[in-house]
Amino acid sequence: MEENKEKNMQNKVVLVTGGSRGIGAEIVKMLANQDYQVVLNYHQSEKQALQIKKELWQKQIEIFKADVSKREEVKALVDFTLKTFGTIDVLINNAGISKQKLFTQITDDDWNEMIGTNLNSAFYCTQQVLGEMLRKKQGCIINISSIWGVTGASCEVAYSTAKAGMDGMTKALAKELGPSNIRVNSIAPGIIDTNMNQNLNKEDLENIKSEIPLERIGRTEDIAKCVKWLIEDNYTTGQIICVNGGWYI
Ligand code: NDP
């Protein structure tokens, strides 16, 4: 029985958006090393994407360039995944950007970019994979949202709005898709050591650490492990899983 389960896992096809760097790259590596079949989506970091594919040359991994804030590029990405691996079992909506600005200084372009990349992308990708998941009556969708979507962050109103929207989508979709055996969950990371936080200096990081019960900044593996667990689970849906060292409880 356990053996069969393992076998099924190894056949699973996973699409990771924003897989070229940071959390997405860690998820790609962890899953490919567990013999999942992985499509790594990237936008600007082609060199990094190629490097990951090279590192994992013995594994089943393909890379595909697409700006996931654009529906037509998402369609090409999902078509590529279906053509390459024949199906899609898991979608990880991970691609994201952040920007700090006072609310009064946010322009329409800033707002649209933030919502487009962090939220519309999840809408487009999810709609695009659902044809196949509904046909199979099986699927797992994981949205990488953020602690800021839950608590709100000063000077990151657009980002917090997009991430809260993602969590709303998770809960509503979990209800709509549960009867079709498709699970939808969010992982809301706290602060994770990636380029996204390069604006924080040593002192900022020490201050943040002092507020975290587990007394450390998160690592990309902390999120990747949770992703793997959610994929392998069968009975968790509609949840916002806060992987944040206890920073917000
Ligand atoms: P990074 O900045 O390290 O990586 C961002 C990734 O998103 C890159 O692979 C980038 O690809 C991709 N990306 C950005 N825009 C697009 C786009 N339009 N189309 C396709 N891919 C795109 O960030 P993290 O790894 O830290 O963040 C990953 C996710 O985790 C994000 O959604 C972020 O909001 C969330 N998060 C991160 C936290 C943190 O502390 N780091 C905390 C909470 C949430 P490329 O370089 O190829 O353009």
Side-chain angles (χ1 to χ4, degrees):
M1 202 64 172
E2 268 309 301
E3 206 174 291
N4 281 344
K5 199 176 154 205
E6 282 301 311
K7 225 175 185 173
N8 288 340
M9 291 305 161
Q10 289 173 359
N11 292 332
K12 285 202 173 180
V13 177
V14 185
L15 169 57
V16 183
T17 70
S20 49
R21 295 187 289 111
I23 294 170
E26 188 69 40
I27 295 169
V28 164
K29 289 179 198 170
M30 183 172 286
L31 296 179
N33 279 319
Q34 300 276 329
D35 293 327
Y36 285 84
Q37 301 173 79
V38 182
V39 172
L40 177 167
N41 153 250
Y42 67 98
H43 182 213
Q44 287 171 351
S45 303
E46 183 155 63
K47 233 169 105 182
Q48 286 90 332
L50 284 166
Q51 180 57 34
I52 294 171
K53 185 168 154 62
K54 201 170 145 197
E55 270 171 41
L56 296 167
W57 64 276
Q58 285 176 311
K59 302 295 175 186
Q60 296 194 69
I61 170 170
E62 294 298 334
I63 63 173
F64 193 86
K65 179 180 165 83
D67 175 351
V68 288
S69 69
K70 301 202 168 102
R71 188 184 274 282
E72 65 280 12
E73 296 194 27
V74 166
K75 185 175 180 312
L77 169 65
V78 173
D79 286 351
F80 171 81
T81 306
L82 293 173
K83 209 170 148 211
T84 306
F85 290 123
T87 189
I88 182 157
D89 300 291
V90 181
L91 167 67
I92 301 169
N93 287 313
N94 165 77
I97 50 169
S98 67
K99 197 184 255 181
Q100 288 75 35
K101 257 191 179 185
L102 282 175
F103 181 67
T104 47
Q105 288 174 2
I106 294 176
T107 64
D108 288 3
D109 283 349
D110 290 331
W111 182 267
N112 290 336
E113 188 191 18
M114 206 53 59
I115 302 297
T117 307
N118 291 315
L119 182 58
N120 293 353
S121 57
F123 167 53
Y124 299 147
C125 290
T126 304
Q127 267 196 343
Q128 209 60 45
V129 301
L130 270 183
E132 175 68 0
M133 289 185 180
L134 287 167
R135 188 188 64 74
K136 294 206 302 184
K137 270 201 147 219
Q138 185 188 306
C140 171
I141 296 164
I142 300 173
N143 293 322
I144 307 297
S145 58
S146 167
I147 187 169
W148 300 142
V150 182
T151 66
S154 168
C155 296
E156 292 202 61
V157 173
Y159 181 81
S160 303
T161 303
K163 296 298 190 178
M166 224 179 186
D167 288 347
M169 190 171 128
T170 290
K171 293 181 201 173
L173 258 182
K175 289 183 179 170
E176 190 168 320
L177 297 176
S180 302
N181 192 31
I182 298 168
R183 295 178 301 108
V184 189
N185 291 286
S186 284
I187 297 175
I191 187 151
I192 308 297
D193 182 15
T194 70
N195 281 349
M196 190 170 266
N197 294 310
Q198 64 193 354
N199 59 313
L200 299 174
N201 61 33
K202 220 173 154 212
E203 197 188 337
D204 296 330
L205 290 170
E206 284 306 318
N207 287 337
I208 292 169
K209 255 200 257 177
S210 71
E211 293 173 5
I212 299 176
L214 288 177
E215 296 182 331
R216 69 168 173 86
I217 301 299
R219 304 181 190 112
T220 52
E221 307 92 86
D222 297 321
I223 306 304
K225 276 187 207 161
C226 186
V227 165
K228 182 171 172 291
W229 179 82
L230 269 177
I231 294 174
E232 293 173 4
D233 174 74
N234 289 311
Y235 199 56
T236 304
T237 197
Q239 302 306 307
I240 316 301
I241 302 178
C242 299
V243 182
N244 62 23
W247 196 15
Y248 166 75
I249 294 174

